């Protein structure tokens, strides 16, 4: 038992020392960084571009690791959610913007989406979003203004395609999920299943499994 204990101690102590050394280095590095920022804030000749400095410092630090470890600010979380799970906070509609000097048109509201529940139809024109005209905005800028945290509201000034009536429509955003499985069915031979899959985001495996089980049944 003594020999075993001594052996474990000899192995464990270097690991402990290495962990303490790593913690010491991180603490020292953090202290140096804070000291530099404080000194710059106190004596730099001009106003510090803090936001730009922060992003550049974080990106430079992570560039020493690997291509897959990245920093995503909270304001870009919607883009991350869209990339990972094809979901976003919004009204649930495809829009069309002919050019920056024209209004936004509703092209297709998703079934049971907030846009559909609010009565928006294909061809309806959105002339303003939260009081700001859509003239001068491109499609991406218009889409960004429609998106937001689920539960928040967005107000549109709409010209209805059928009646020409102008009205204000207030819509509560929801979490919108775009499925990776766009279509599934049995071909005309009656025994071949067809699945059209357009993405590989989170949860698609379970989604595909349910579709295949349904086709088998």
């Amino acid at each position: 038992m003594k020999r075993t204990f001594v052996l474990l101690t000899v192995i464990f102590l270097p690991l402990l020392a290495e962990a303490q050394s790593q913690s010491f280095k991180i603490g020292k590095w953090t202290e140096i960084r804070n000291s530099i920022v404080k000194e710059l804030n106190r004596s730099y000749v001009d106003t510090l571009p803090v936001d730009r400095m922060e992003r550049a410092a974080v990106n430079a630090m992570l560039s020493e690791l690997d291509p897959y470890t990245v920093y995503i600010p909270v304001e870009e979380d919607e883009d991350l959610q869209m990339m990972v799970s094809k979901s976003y906070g919004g009204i649930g509609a495809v829009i069309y913007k002919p050019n920056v000097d024209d209004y936004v048109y509703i092209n297709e509201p998703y079934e049971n989406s907030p846009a559909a529940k609010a009565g928006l139809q294909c061809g309806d024109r959105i002339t303003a979003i939260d009081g700001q005209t859509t003239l001068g905005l491109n499609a991406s800028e218009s889409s960004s203004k429609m998106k937001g945290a689920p539960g928040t509201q967005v107000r549109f000034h709409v010209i209805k395609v059928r009646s020409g009536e102008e009205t204000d429509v207030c819509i509560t955003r929801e979490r919108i999920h775009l499925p990776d499985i766009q279509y599934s069915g049995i071909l005309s031979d009656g025994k071949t299943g067809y699945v059209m899959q357009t993405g590989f985001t989170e949860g698609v495996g379970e989604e595909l499994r349910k579709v295949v089980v349904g086709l088998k049944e």
Side-chain angles (χ1 to χ4, degrees):
M1 290 296 292
K2 276 189 176 182
R3 289 178 182 174
T4 304
F5 177 76
V6 171
L7 180 61
L8 289 175
T9 303
V10 170
I11 294 174
F12 177 72
L13 285 178
L15 295 177
L16 180 60
E18 183 180 349
Q20 290 176 336
S21 176
Q22 184 80 346
S23 298
F24 174 77
K25 289 179 181 178
I26 291 176
K28 184 179 178 181
W29 169 65
T30 303
E31 185 179 345
I32 292 173
R33 183 199 61 190
N34 291 341
S35 297
I36 291 173
V37 172
K38 288 179 181 178
E39 182 61 27
L40 287 172
N41 187 52
R42 185 180 67 85
S43 58
Y44 188 63
V45 67
D46 202 352
T47 303
L48 291 179
V50 177
D51 291 340
R52 195 166 74 245
M53 289 171 60
E54 177 190 33
R55 188 65 182 265
V58 171
N59 288 341
M61 174 180 64
L62 296 181
S63 68
E64 295 296 319
L65 301 178
D66 56 69
Y68 311 106
T69 305
V70 296
Y71 168 60
I72 299 177
V74 65
E75 58 269 20
E76 296 178 15
D77 181 62
E78 283 294 328
D79 295 334
L80 174 65
Q81 292 300 320
M82 188 63 183
M83 180 177 66
V84 173
S85 62
K86 291 183 74 172
S87 65
Y88 66 95
I91 66 169
V94 178
I95 63 170
Y96 171 62
K97 190 79 159 61
N99 55 69
V100 295
D101 297 320
D102 203 343
Y103 293 118
V104 173
Y105 292 82
I106 295 295
N107 193 29
E108 179 191 357
Y110 302 143
E111 186 178 2
N112 296 321
S113 68
K117 295 173 187 175
L120 294 184
Q121 299 174 319
C122 178
D124 286 351
R125 278 183 290 171
I126 297 177
T127 62
I129 304 173
D130 283 334
Q132 179 181 350
T133 180
T134 55
L135 296 178
L137 300 177
N138 58 36
S140 178
E141 291 168 334
S142 301
S143 178
S144 294
K145 290 187 175 297
M146 295 181 180
K147 294 176 182 177
T152 60
Q153 292 187 329
V154 57
R155 182 176 295 275
F156 301 111
H157 190 73
V158 182
I159 301 178
K160 303 296 291 182
V161 63
R162 294 183 178 177
S163 64
E165 174 192 4
E166 292 194 33
T167 183
D168 286 328
V169 178
C170 188
I171 301 179
T172 300
R173 299 179 178 99
E174 296 179 10
R175 177 61 62 186
I176 308 299
H177 175 66
L178 305 179
D180 286 310
I181 307 297
Q182 296 293 325
Y183 172 80
S184 65
I186 301 295
L187 300 185
S188 57
D189 62 6
K191 57 184 180 181
T192 303
Y194 176 81
V195 179
M196 184 172 74
Q197 181 179 334
T198 58
F200 291 89
T201 58
E202 185 178 11
V204 67
E206 179 61 20
E207 191 177 351
L208 180 60
R209 187 191 68 81
K210 290 180 180 179
V211 168
V212 172
V213 170
L215 289 176
K216 287 183 176 180
E217 292 175 351

